């Protein structure tokens, strides 16, 4: 009897142990299932967030793409733009003057100009309009530009192009009195160089002629055009630089019209772009811009990482968990106020709870690409609090803003910034030295496109009129046939109307 009771107790004890083991196993499986579900949910959320970020980036890229003004759905009338006060020059002349103004302020210090005494845009315009005081400033600027251009890059074959006294242009003293003649010789020399460079035709000089080529008069041209240099002179007379030099043959520089004077000034500035000092400044500016872009890229990467770390720290502090990562050990500490007090679990040696595993996986997922090869500064940032990270992030953002301003100022020294064109193909320019936004007039826009657009409108207008006539003729035919056979024609008309509705719906779908 006692043996039977003992066996029954042993059986019950083993049964209860088995039940407890099964219960523990079921709970462990449920915990593992919840952990896997939570991990799968986090992965799905992460993928969804990545997909959403990708869609936002594509949307931003589409928004940033330039759109033609006529393709916009919300058409607005353009604002009325006032002309520049006091502007009396033609479009080409003003464009040349603005280019000269930008050139002087960008490279004037390199070429030896006194930057404080440079003429303003208004004084340059007055100089072209024969104002006496402004003309003195213009002649001083032009004399300096011409001297610099003769020194470097110089003229082709300087021994052939001399003054009336036989002096080379470098030896001649350039004053306000003889600047027109020196400029004419300089333009003629460059014209011959352009003809040789563009066509490959050289001038064959005659040994018995003792004077330079540019001293020939009109009678000499008639004789040379029929000789062995006929092809050279034919190309020379079609050259625009030679035409500029011919305008100075019987007129001084100040007696020319404003457009021609501005054209000569612009030619000198374009030639001075080959000056060695100017080239060195341009190359230095390019290197500066490249270096600033590289530094900005590094700073933007640092800001992006710090912003992610800051948002993670703020989220952790809001939950009430402090994450410390040192080496290969991740420590997750809970703040005071929990039921169990301060608890800490490490990745080595203890078994963390599911919540701790969740935070641990989040930290590992967020920093899986940053764990290898991280810099000491990044390791220090991970140990900072959310408030300290916010202060450091604000400091970096201010530094990034200052760097962006330096990059913009360096880029403007190289080229003007263009915003685009409006519906009339007028360009919108931002000029660094002149200041403000300049809008081209219709004269400086692309008139050939306007003419082409007018031709296309007229062409398609005729086509649309012919289509309307054809539809009217078809309607009259259908009405006549309707009177003859009402039932058949009604069916055919109904069928045609259905076809038209289908085509209209297809057209609307293709529009959207």
């Amino acid at each position: 009897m006692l043996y039977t009771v003992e066996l029954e107790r042993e059986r019950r004890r083993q049964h209860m142990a088995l039940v407890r083991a099964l219960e523990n196993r079921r709970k462990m499986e449920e915990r593992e299932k919840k952990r896997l579900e939570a991990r799968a949910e986090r992965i799905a959320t992460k993928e969804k967030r990545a997909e959403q970020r990708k869609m936002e980036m594509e949307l931003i890229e589409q928004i940033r793409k330039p759109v033609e003004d006529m393709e916009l759905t919300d058409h607005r009338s353009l604002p009325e733009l006032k002309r520049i006060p006091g502007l009396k020059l033609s479009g080409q002349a003003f464009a040349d003057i603005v280019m000269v103004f930008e050139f002087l302020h960008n490279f004037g210090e390199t070429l030896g100009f006194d930057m404080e005494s440079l003429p303003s845009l208004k004084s340059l315009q007055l100089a072209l309009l024969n104002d006496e005081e402004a003309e003195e400033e213009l002649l001083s600027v032009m004399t300096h530009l011409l001297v610099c251009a003769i020194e470097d890059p110089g003229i082709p074959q300087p021994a052939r192009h001399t003054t009336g006294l036989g002096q080379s242009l470098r030896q001649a003293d350039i004053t306000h009195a003889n600047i027109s003649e020196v400029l004419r010789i300089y333009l003629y020399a460059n014209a011959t160089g352009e003809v040789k460079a563009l066509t490959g035709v050289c001038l064959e000089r005659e040994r018995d002629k003792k004077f330079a080529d540019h001293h020939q008069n009109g009678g000499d041209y008639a004789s040379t055009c029929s000789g062995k240099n006929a092809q050279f002179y034919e190309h020379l007379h079609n050259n625009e630089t030679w035409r500029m030099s011919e305008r100075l043959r019987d007129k001084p520089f100040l007696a020319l019209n404003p457009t021609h004077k501005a054209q000569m000034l612009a030619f000198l500035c374009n030639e001075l772009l080959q000056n060695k000092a100017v080239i060195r400044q341009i190359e230095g500016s390019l290197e500066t811009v490249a270096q600033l872009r590289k530094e900005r890229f590094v700073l933007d990467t640092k800001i992006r990482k710090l912003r992610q770390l800051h948002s993670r720290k703020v989220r952790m502090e809001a939950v009430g968990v402090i994450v410390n990562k040192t080496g290969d050990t991740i420590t997750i500490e809970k703040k005071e106020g929990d039921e169990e007090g301060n608890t800490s679990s490490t990745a080595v040696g203890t078994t963390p709870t599911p919540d701790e595993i969740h935070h641990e996986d989040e930290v590992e997922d967020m920093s899986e690409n940053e764990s290898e090869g991280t810099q000491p500064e990044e390791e220090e940032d991970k140990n900072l609090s959310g408030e300290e990270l916010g202060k450091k992030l604000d400091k970096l953002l201010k530094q990034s803003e200052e760097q962006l301003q330096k990059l913009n100022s360096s880029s403007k020294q190289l080229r003007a910034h263009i915003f685009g064109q409006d519906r009339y193909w007028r360009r919108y320019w931002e000029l660094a030295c002149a200041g403000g936004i300049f809008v081209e007039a219709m004269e400086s826009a692309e008139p050939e496109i306007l003419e082409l657009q007018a031709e296309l409108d007229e062409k398609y207008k005729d086509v649309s009129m012919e289509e309307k006539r054809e539809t009217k003729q078809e309607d009259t035919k259908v009405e006549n046939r309707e009177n003859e056979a009402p039932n058949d024609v009604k069916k055919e008309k109904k069928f045609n109307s259905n076809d038209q509705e289908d085509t209209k719906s297809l057209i609307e779908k293709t529009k959207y």
Side-chain angles (χ1 to χ4, degrees):
M1 186 68 181
L2 292 172
Y3 178 72
T4 306
V5 172
E6 190 67 27
L7 285 176
E8 185 66 20
R9 287 178 181 174
E10 184 66 23
R11 187 183 65 79
R12 288 181 179 178
R13 189 167 57 251
Q14 292 179 1
H15 178 70
M16 292 302 295
L18 181 62
V19 169
R20 283 195 296 272
L22 291 173
E23 185 69 19
N24 291 334
R25 184 175 180 181
R26 185 180 62 81
K27 289 181 179 179
M28 186 179 67
E29 289 178 353
E30 288 180 356
R31 284 198 300 270
E32 184 68 18
K33 185 178 179 181
K34 287 181 180 179
R35 191 178 71 85
L36 292 176
E37 288 178 354
R39 181 181 284 273
E41 185 177 354
R42 288 198 305 275
I43 293 173
T45 305
K46 191 175 179 181
E47 291 178 354
K48 185 177 179 181
R49 195 182 298 117
E51 187 68 24
Q52 185 178 1
R53 192 181 297 113
K54 184 180 178 182
M55 291 176 63
E56 289 176 356
M57 292 300 293
E58 290 179 356
L59 182 61
I60 291 173
E61 187 179 356
Q62 291 293 330
I63 290 173
R64 287 179 178 176
K65 281 185 178 179
V67 182
E68 288 292 336
D69 188 52
M70 300 303 292
E71 294 180 1
L72 297 176
T73 55
D74 53 341
H75 253 299
R76 300 177 184 177
S77 58
L78 293 177
E80 294 183 1
L81 302 173
K82 297 180 180 179
R83 287 178 60 85
I84 298 174
L87 179 61
K88 298 178 182 178
L89 299 175
S90 62
Q92 184 61 43
F94 184 72
D96 290 335
I97 284 299
V98 169
M99 190 268 285
V100 171
F101 182 81
E102 292 287 322
F103 179 86
L104 291 176
H105 283 77
N106 280 328
F107 305 107
E109 189 174 357
T110 304
L111 295 173
F113 280 93
D114 184 8
M115 300 302 291
E116 296 180 357
S117 62
L118 285 178
S120 62
L121 198 60
K122 184 178 180 181
S123 62
L124 285 175
Q125 181 186 184
L126 291 175
L128 296 183
L129 297 173
N130 301 323
D131 184 79
E132 293 183 1
E133 294 182 1
E135 280 180 349
E136 291 295 326
E137 295 183 7
L138 178 63
L139 287 176
S140 299
V141 170
M142 192 162 187
T143 303
H144 196 127
L145 289 175
L146 187 56
V147 169
C148 293
I150 291 172
E151 291 292 331
D152 186 17
I155 58 174
Q157 298 177 345
R160 290 188 179 182
H161 305 282
T162 57
T163 63
L165 299 176
Q167 291 179 315
S168 64
L169 295 185
R170 289 190 179 184
Q171 297 172 351
D173 293 332
I174 302 177
T175 62
H176 293 179
N178 65 354
I179 187 173
S180 299
E181 179 63 17
V182 175
L183 180 61
R184 185 184 72 82
I185 299 170
Y186 176 80
L187 293 174
Y188 185 90
N190 279 278
T192 57
E194 289 177 7
V195 170
K196 181 179 178 181
L198 295 176
T199 63
V201 180
C202 299
L203 175 66
E204 298 182 11
R205 293 172 57 85
E206 298 180 5
R207 295 181 181 179
D208 56 345
K209 287 200 174 183
K210 301 295 184 182
F211 52 84
D213 302 327
H214 57 272
H215 293 303
Q216 296 180 8
N217 52 30
D220 294 327
Y221 288 134
S223 60
T224 54
C225 286
S226 60
K228 55 184 178 181
N229 291 321
Q231 187 179 4
F232 174 81
Y233 282 108
E234 182 181 357
H235 291 299
L236 182 65
H237 295 169
N238 294 327
N239 186 274
E240 185 62 31
T241 309
W242 178 83
R243 291 173 184 167
M244 285 193 291
S245 70
E246 282 299 299
R247 295 188 188 108
L248 294 170
R249 181 174 290 276
D250 53 357
K251 292 180 183 177
F253 174 76
L254 296 177
L256 299 176
N257 63 44
T259 304
H260 293 159
K261 287 189 280 190
Q263 185 182 10
M264 293 177 186
L265 276 171
F267 180 83
L268 286 176
C269 293
N270 288 327
E271 287 297 315
L272 281 170
L273 289 175
Q274 305 175 45
N275 187 283
K276 293 183 177 62
V278 173
I279 291 174
R280 280 196 299 270
Q281 181 180 344
I282 293 173
E283 290 176 351
S285 300
L286 288 173
E287 292 176 0
T288 303
V289 169
Q291 183 66 24
L292 287 174
R293 284 179 179 170
K294 184 178 179 181
E295 292 176 0
R296 179 166 174 77
F297 175 77
V298 173
L299 188 60
D300 288 346
T301 305
K302 190 183 296 184
I303 289 173
R304 187 168 58 251
K305 289 183 179 180
L306 196 62
R307 189 175 283 138
Q308 292 177 356
L309 184 61
H310 177 254
S311 62
R312 194 191 320 159
K313 286 277 187 179
V314 171
R315 191 166 59 249
M316 292 295 183
E317 290 177 0
V319 173
V321 176
I322 302 174
V323 180
N324 296 324
K325 182 175 180 181
T326 57
D328 296 332
T329 305
I330 300 175
T331 305
I332 304 174
E333 299 178 356
K334 291 185 179 180
K335 291 183 179 180
E336 294 182 359
D338 296 339
E339 295 179 358
E340 299 178 359
N342 293 338
T343 60
S344 63
S345 60
T346 60
V348 181
T350 58
T351 304
T353 61
D355 293 336
E356 295 168 351
I357 291 173
H358 169 75
H359 293 299
E360 179 182 341
D361 293 338
E362 184 175 358
V363 172
E364 289 179 352
D365 291 338
M366 294 291 287
S367 61
E368 59 183 358
N369 294 327
E370 304 173 10
S371 59
E372 297 180 0
T374 53
Q375 299 178 357
E377 187 178 356
E378 295 179 5
E379 293 293 337
E380 293 176 2
D381 293 341
K382 291 178 182 178
N383 295 327
L384 297 177
S385 62
E387 186 177 357
E388 294 173 345
L389 286 173
K391 292 180 180 178
K392 187 172 182 180
L393 184 60
D394 292 339
K395 185 178 178 181
L396 288 178
L397 287 174
K398 290 181 182 178
Q399 186 178 351
S400 175
E401 187 68 23
E402 294 175 357
Q403 203 169 33
L404 181 61
Q405 292 179 0
K406 290 181 182 178
L407 180 61
N408 289 335
S409 62
S410 300
S411 299
K412 288 177 181 177
Q413 291 180 359
L414 297 172
R415 60 184 64 86
H417 181 245
I418 180 171
F419 292 103
Q421 292 177 301
D422 60 8
R423 66 191 67 168
Y424 301 111
W425 288 278
R426 299 180 302 182
R427 299 177 185 86
Y428 288 65
W429 295 90
E430 181 189 8
L431 304 178
C433 302
I437 298 175
F438 289 77
V439 183
E440 291 182 350
M442 296 303 295
E443 178 189 0
S444 305
E446 300 180 12
E448 63 276 3
I449 294 182
L450 291 175
E451 294 174 0
L452 178 62
Q453 186 69 30
E455 291 177 1
L456 292 175
D457 292 341
E458 189 68 25
K459 178 181 177 182
Y460 285 107
K461 183 179 179 181
D462 297 338
V463 172
S464 61
M465 292 294 292
E466 291 178 359
E467 289 179 353
K468 287 181 180 179
R469 290 174 184 173
E470 291 178 358
T471 52
K472 285 182 180 180
Q473 291 177 0
E474 289 179 358
D475 291 338
T476 54
K477 288 180 182 179
V478 169
E479 288 178 359
N480 293 332
R481 292 176 59 191
E482 212 174 35
N483 295 329
E484 296 175 358
N487 295 330
D488 297 337
V489 174
K490 282 180 182 179
K491 291 180 182 179
E492 185 177 355
K493 189 174 182 180
K494 186 177 180 181
F495 180 73
N496 291 333
S497 63
N498 291 333
D499 287 344
Q500 290 178 357
E501 289 177 358
D502 293 339
T503 54
K504 285 181 180 179
S505 61
L506 286 173
I507 290 171
E508 291 176 356
K509 288 180 181 178
T510 53
K511 282 183 180 180
Y512 293 100

